[in-house]
Amino acid sequence: MRKSWRSANLARMVSPEINFGAAALEPGRPRLSKLTLPVRLALLVTGTMLPLIVFAVGIAIYNYKQDRNDATRRVLENVRSMRLVLDSEVQRMTGGLQVLALTNSLRDDDFENFRRIALGFVDQYGKGGLVLVSDRSGRLLFSSATENTASLQPRGHIEIIEKVFATRSPQYSDLFTGAINQRQILTVEVPIFRDGEVVYDLCFSPPISIFQELVEKQRPDPQWTVSLLDAKGTVFARVPNLSETFGKRASPSLYAELFRSDEASIPTVSLDGVALASAYTRSHLTRWTVATGVAESSLIAPLWRNIAITSLIGGILLLTGLTFAVRMATTIARGEMLHDLLIDELNHRVKNTLALMQAIAVQTFRSASRDERIKFEGRLGALAEAHNLLSQEKWAGSELRDVIARALQPFLLNNPERIRMAGPAVPLSPRLAVVLSMIVHEIATNAAKYGALSNETGRVTLEWEVVTDTSKPRLRLIWTENGGPAVTAPVQRGFGSRLIERSARDQLGGEATVDFLPRGVVCTVTCALDEAR
C-alpha cells in the first residue's frame, strides 16, 4: 500500500511536464518557430553590437553639441573682446580730439598754429586721416588737407554737426561719402567750447584701414568671419572679402536680428553665402556693431568624421562577431550529442531528488498529524539553509561605514551633506552586513517618504559606537532626524517598522526602537558583533 501511494505521488509530480508537452501539440494553439543555433547566435551578436554602435554615435553627437556650444561661447567672447578693443581705439581718438579742442590756437582762432598740431595728430594714424573744424552751419574753417579753406565746399552730413551742438558731447558717424575726398568715411566729432558754449565742431576722419587692421589682428582663426558695422548695419571692415562687401548692408539673416537686442548668438548666412554660427555685440559708445561667425561646416565636419569612423569600426566588429558566431555554432552543433546526454543525466538527478523528497514526505506524513507536518517543514527548511550556507561561504566581511554608505547612496545623490555619519571603524561578518544594510535602507526609505529626507531642509545624523561593557561587544547605531515635517506617531505600524524590529531581534539577536520625538524620529538599533570573515 505504501509503495503504491509513493508511486502515485511521483507520477503526479512528474506528470505536469508530460501534460505541458501534450498541450503544446494541441491543434489551434500558436507554436513558436524554433530558430536555428546559428541564427540565435547571430541575433545575439547583432543585439550586442548594434546598441554599442548606436551608443558610440550618440556620444559623437553629444560631443558635437558640446563642441558647438563651446564654439558659440568662444564666438561671443571674441566679439566682446573685439568690441572692447574697438571702443578703446575710438576712445583714444576721442581723447586726442578733446585735447586738440582745448588748445590756445583754437581758442584764439589761430588756425595757422593749429595746423602744426593737427598734422601731428593725423600722423599718428597714418595716411588718409583728416581733421576739420566747422561752424554750426557746416562752413569749413580749417582742413588739415589744405590751407585754402575758402575753396572748399561746406561739410556734408550736417546732421551729426547739429547733434554735436545739441548734445555738447562727442558723436560718432555712420559710413557716408565725404564732401572733400568723395570717399566712404567714418568720423569722430567733438565740440569746441568757448566761455561754456559750443562754438565749433572738431571732426576727425580716421583712415578706414585702421579698423581693417584691427579686425585682421583680432581674427582668431582663418575660418572665422569678422565684420564691423555702423549703427545702420553697413559693413566698413571685414575679413574675408572686404572689397566685395565694403559699404554693403549686413546679410539679411544678421540684419533681421541686429536691432532686436544689443547682443546675441544666432545662426546666420554670411554675405558670401556661408552658413555661420554667429554672435554680435553693439558698442554703447559708438553704436557700431562687431559681428563674428564660425563656419557651420567646420563644426559639423568632425561629427561626420566620428560617425564614419564609428560606423566603420562597428561594422568590422559586427562582421567579425558574426563570423565567430557561425564558427561557434558549428562547434556547438558537434557537441549536441554530449549536450543531450548531459540533459538526460540532469533529468535523472531531478527525478532522484523528487524521489528523495517524496520519501521524506512518506516518512513525515505517515500519521498525518500537525506535529509531523511541522517536522517536514523543518526538514525542508534545513535543506534550504544548507543551500544558503553554501552561497554565503563565498562572501567576505565588510566595514560598517562602507555598508552604510552603499545603502544610503540613492539618498545622497542630490545633497550629500544632508546625512552626517560618525563612528569608529567596525568590521562586519557577512550576516551582519546584509541585515544591517536592509535595516538602514528601510529607515532611510521611511525618512524619504515621511521624515527629514522628504523636504529640502531636513538633516539626518547617523552615529554608531561599539559597547564593550559585556562579554561580547555590541554595536549601537543611532539614526536621528531634524528639520523634517511635524512628527506624529503612526496609528498602525507598517511593514517597514515590523521588518526593522524583527530583523534586529530575530536575525541580529538585538533590538530596534523607534521614538517619534517632536524634533524628529530617533531610531536605535543594537546587536551583538560577530567576527568578520
Side-chain angles (χ1 to χ4, degrees):
M1 182 67 180
R2 183 183 302 169
K3 181 176 180 182
S4 62
W5 180 85
R6 174 183 175 185
S7 301
N9 280 279
L10 280 171
R12 283 195 297 271
M13 298 182 73
V14 177
S15 61
E17 181 182 355
I18 300 173
N19 292 337
F20 176 79
L25 297 175
E26 290 181 7
R29 294 193 180 188
R31 292 184 59 189
L32 297 176
S33 59
K34 184 177 180 181
L35 298 177
T36 62
L37 183 60
V39 173
R40 282 181 286 173
L41 288 177
L43 290 176
L44 175 62
V45 172
T46 304
T48 302
M49 289 301 304
L50 285 182
L52 294 177
I53 296 174
V54 172
F55 177 75
V57 172
I59 291 294
I61 295 175
Y62 173 79
N63 289 336
Y64 160 72
K65 292 181 178 179
Q66 291 295 108
D67 292 342
R68 181 182 175 82
N69 291 336
D70 291 342
T72 302
R73 188 186 69 254
R74 291 197 308 271
V75 170
L76 185 57
E77 291 173 351
N78 179 262
V79 295
R80 289 171 177 171
S81 175
M82 291 188 63
R83 184 200 64 197
L84 293 176
V85 174
L86 176 63
D87 285 350
S88 176
E89 181 65 25
V90 174
Q91 285 175 336
R92 186 169 73 91
M93 294 180 191
T94 306
L97 286 177
Q98 289 174 328
V99 171
L100 290 181
L102 297 175
T103 59
N104 293 329
S105 300
L106 283 183
R107 184 187 61 188
D108 299 332
D109 289 339
D110 186 0
F111 295 113
E112 291 297 328
N113 289 331
F114 178 69
R115 178 174 301 279
R116 176 179 52 82
I117 302 174
L119 291 177
F121 176 81
V122 171
D123 289 341
Q124 299 178 46
Y125 296 94
K127 187 177 180 180
L130 181 65
V131 172
L132 302 174
V133 177
S134 61
D135 60 16
R136 188 166 194 159
S137 65
R139 182 172 62 89
L140 286 174
L141 305 175
F142 172 83
S143 171
S144 63
T146 179
E147 297 181 4
N148 184 16
T149 57
S151 62
L152 295 178
Q153 297 179 359
R155 277 200 53 190
H157 205 50
I158 194 67
E159 297 86 359
I160 195 169
I161 299 177
E162 294 176 349
K163 198 170 183 180
V164 170
F165 276 83
T167 62
R168 301 165 59 90
S169 62
Q171 299 297 319
Y172 307 93
S173 76
D174 298 323
L175 197 67
F176 70 98
T177 302
I180 296 178
N181 51 23
Q182 298 299 312
R183 292 184 302 177
Q184 295 278 73
I185 59 172
L186 294 163
T187 61
V188 179
E189 319 225 3
V190 300
I192 299 175
F193 293 94
R194 185 176 299 169
D195 298 329
E197 297 295 330
V198 180
V199 293
Y200 298 134
D201 171 87
L202 177 60
C203 167
F204 176 53
S205 171
I208 294 293
S209 60
I210 67 172
F211 299 109
Q212 183 65 21
E213 291 173 2
L214 183 148
V215 167
E216 293 174 352
K217 289 180 181 179
Q218 295 296 316
R219 187 187 191 190
D221 188 273
Q223 294 183 331
W224 288 41
T225 298
V226 182
S227 302
L228 297 183
L229 305 102
D230 65 17
K232 294 182 179 179
T234 304
V235 177
F236 64 87
R238 187 181 188 269
V239 283
N241 301 329
L242 173 65
S243 58
E244 289 82 5
T245 57
F246 181 81
K248 291 184 178 179
R249 196 171 71 176
S251 64
S253 56
L254 176 60
Y255 190 82
E257 301 289 336
L258 202 58
F259 303 102
R260 295 184 180 181
S261 63
D262 286 345
E263 183 176 279
S265 296
I266 54 172
T268 64
V269 178
S270 71
L271 291 171
D272 308 312
V274 179
L276 302 175
S278 302
Y280 71 85
T281 183
R282 183 173 291 108
S283 168
H284 295 288
L285 175 67
T286 63
R287 304 306 295 170
W288 298 343
T289 300
V290 181
T292 303
V294 58
E296 291 278 6
S297 59
S298 66
L299 299 178
I300 203 170
L303 171 64
W304 292 120
R305 183 172 61 252
N306 291 337
I307 291 178
I309 294 174
T310 300
S311 301
L312 177 61
I313 295 176
I316 293 174
L317 293 177
L318 180 59
L319 291 176
T320 303
L322 291 175
T323 302
F324 278 106
V326 172
R327 295 188 63 181
M328 185 181 298
T330 304
T331 303
I332 293 176
R334 295 173 183 172
E336 284 187 353
M337 183 179 295
L338 177 60
H339 177 265
D340 292 339
L341 291 176
L342 292 175
I343 292 297
D344 292 340
E345 179 66 17
L346 177 60
N347 290 333
H348 178 68
R349 296 293 183 184
V350 171
K351 291 179 181 179
N352 288 343
T353 302
L354 292 176
L356 176 61
M357 293 179 66
Q358 190 66 35
I360 294 174
V362 171
Q363 181 67 25
T364 303
F365 293 119
R366 182 166 52 183
S367 59
S369 66
R370 183 173 181 277
D371 291 339
E372 292 298 330
R373 289 197 299 274
I374 294 175
K375 290 180 181 180
F376 176 64
E377 291 175 358
R379 289 170 182 170
L380 291 181
L383 181 61
E385 286 298 326
H387 175 72
N388 290 337
L389 180 61
L390 291 175
S391 299
Q392 293 173 2
E393 287 295 334
K394 299 179 182 179
W395 294 6
S398 303
E399 208 277 324
L400 175 59
R401 182 179 293 272
D402 295 335
V403 171
I404 293 175
R406 187 174 293 272
L408 295 179
Q409 185 176 5
F411 306 93
L412 298 174
L413 295 178
N414 294 331
N415 190 351
E417 304 300 327
R418 297 189 68 179
I419 302 179
R420 184 179 67 86
M421 296 184 293
V426 181
L428 300 178
S429 66
R431 182 177 65 88
L432 285 178
V434 172
V435 178
L436 284 177
S437 177
M438 294 174 59
I439 290 176
V440 171
H441 183 271
E442 189 62 36
I443 296 174
T445 300
N446 289 338
K449 290 181 179 179
Y450 316 109
L453 298 182
S454 65
N455 60 15
E456 298 296 330
T457 60
R459 295 290 185 271
V460 172
T461 301
L462 183 55
E463 301 175 309
W464 63 87
E465 61 179 348
V466 177
V467 181
T468 58
D469 55 359
T470 59
S471 59
K472 191 172 184 180
R474 298 177 66 80
L475 173 67
R476 179 184 293 130
L477 188 144
I478 303 174
W479 173 283
T480 305
E481 299 183 17
N482 288 286
V487 176
T488 57
V491 178
Q492 183 178 1
R493 293 193 310 162
F495 173 76
S497 299
R498 295 197 302 271
L499 174 63
I500 294 171
E501 294 177 358
R502 290 178 181 176
S503 298
R505 182 184 66 245
D506 301 337
Q507 300 186 46
L508 299 181
E511 63 177 353
T513 59
V514 181
D515 298 321
F516 297 93
L517 303 180
R519 68 175 185 273
V521 172
V522 177
C523 182
T524 305
V525 178
T526 59
C527 64
L529 286 173
D530 293 337
E531 182 180 356
R533 293 182 296 168

